[in-house]
Amino acid sequence: MTRIDGHLLDQRQSEAGQRCAALPDLFDATTFRHLERLGVGPGWRCWEVGAGGISVLSWLAKRVGPTGRVLATDVDTAWVESAARPPVEVLRHDVGADEAPGEGFDLVHARFVLADVAERERALRSMVQALRPGGRLLVEETDSSLQPLSCPDEHGSAQRLANRLRAGRRALLAEDGTDVSYGRKLPRLLRDAGLTRVEADAHFPLGAAACAALETAGVNRVRERLVASGFATDTDINLHLDHLASGSLDLAPAPMVSAWGRNP
Ligand SMILES: C[S@@+](CC[C@H](N)C(=O)[O-])C[C@H]1O[C@@H](n2cnc3c(N)ncnc32)[C@H](O)[C@@H]1O
């Protein structure tokens, strides 16, 4: 690998890390509320798919205690290795391609993973099959078409620019094969997979400080492509990044749809 490739890879990993780092602040409270309602407790065996970071793992580890098990899988385990001590185990695993890393789980959970996985149907099937009878599945995914705006209160040029860049990013995601309407499909997909007692809700923060961090990482990740595809100029992007740094925008990430159900 050349030095330039290495540099780009490091940069991409750091942007992915910044994006994942902003998620706990914005979404953990909702995720923990759902996990709590599903009854996660001492002795539970959990599979955290596409774990990405340690906040959900730490919450699960505390809940299941020393008699439980939390298996954290990801195609890139760099961000979760530090949590690898009982009851947490870490495994490199591609949920769209590999066999399920076990069976008989009381809980399988994935957040912000499946919409980006090309083999998402296969992945969901394998997650359901890994549940014990009576086990619970919680899947939480974005639906960026459901609420497509970066600034829902579009009252000036800064907000219009933000929304134009968000539309460009959504088009690039769709071009890459991300299902940008995946969140809304989850209740149906969980029922089709044979789960019972399926329910769902949606959450999107508005104006939280962490929204700017998520937006900044998201824009930086695709800035060259936004320019190359004609969605924005470098000047537009620099201006938007300045607006983000100034804290003057009331930002919203794409909504997170949470859907859960029970293996009969
Ligand atoms: C946006 S991050 C979300 C991280 C974490 N689940 C959260 O909500 O904070 C997406 C994660 O899914 C992982 N991922 C992407 N494709 C995957 C696949 N096919 N199998 C397993 N993990 C995958 C990425 O490496 C990344 O850690």
Side-chain angles (χ1 to χ4, degrees):
M1 184 180 286
T2 66
R3 201 178 64 81
I4 289 177
D5 284 348
H7 170 74
L8 285 176
L9 186 63
D10 286 351
Q11 189 182 324
R12 241 176 274 140
Q13 281 176 336
S14 122
E15 280 153 8
Q18 283 160 16
R19 185 163 160 254
C20 285
L23 298 174
D25 272 355
L26 296 169
F27 297 105
D28 272 3
T30 303
T31 295
F32 297 163
R33 181 165 52 78
H34 289 309
L35 290 171
E36 198 154 359
R37 193 162 54 178
L38 293 178
V40 179
W44 275 44
R45 291 151 298 164
C46 307
W47 175 18
E48 179 66 20
V49 180
I54 63 168
S55 67
V56 175
L57 295 182
S58 306
W59 189 95
L60 287 172
K62 214 165 165 179
R63 277 298 168 123
V64 305
T67 58
R69 180 185 184 212
V70 179
L71 177 62
T73 63
D74 203 299
V75 284
D76 177 1
T77 53
W79 311 102
V80 289
E81 295 291 359
S82 66
R85 63 184 161 281
V88 177
E89 293 162 49
V90 172
L91 180 71
R92 189 182 297 271
H93 175 268
D94 182 338
V95 71
D98 300 334
E99 290 297 313
E103 55 185 16
F105 288 100
D106 300 290
L107 171 82
V108 176
H109 173 237
R111 187 176 73 179
F112 302 134
V113 180
L114 296 186
D116 292 331
V117 173
E119 296 293 335
R120 59 185 80 87
E121 256 179 62
R122 182 186 194 278
L124 190 59
R125 240 188 349 262
S126 131
M127 288 161 60
V128 169
Q129 282 165 3
L131 289 168
R132 69 162 169 82
R136 310 301 171 106
L137 179 73
L138 173 63
V139 183
E140 303 184 295
E141 294 291 331
T142 53
D143 189 319
S144 56
S145 306
L146 202 57
Q147 193 297 103
L149 302 176
S150 179
C151 293
D153 179 22
E154 195 186 81
H155 64 90
S157 59
Q159 290 74 19
R160 278 192 290 280
L161 173 60
N163 288 338
R164 178 156 60 83
L165 293 182
R166 177 68 65 85
R169 283 172 56 203
R170 221 178 42 261
L172 292 179
L173 282 174
E175 202 176 288
D176 290 344
T178 297
D179 184 344
V180 293
S181 309
Y182 192 59
R184 76 190 69 180
K185 299 173 185 165
L186 289 174
R188 171 171 57 81
L189 295 174
L190 265 55
R191 279 196 308 277
D192 289 353
L195 298 187
T196 58
R197 299 194 209 165
V198 173
E199 291 179 60
D201 67 13
H203 169 71
F204 76 95
L206 183 60
C211 291
L214 187 64
E215 175 83 6
T216 302
V219 170
N220 279 328
R221 191 162 160 244
V222 291
R223 70 171 293 157
E224 285 89 3
R225 290 180 64 199
L226 283 169
V227 174
S229 312
F231 288 114
T233 62
D234 264 321
T235 310
D236 289 334
I237 293 175
N238 289 337
L239 185 60
H240 179 52
L241 292 174
D242 285 348
H243 293 153
L244 290 174
S246 76
S248 60
L249 299 177
D250 289 317
L251 294 158
M256 174 176 81
V257 177
S258 305
W260 57 96
R262 184 179 185 277
N263 194 27

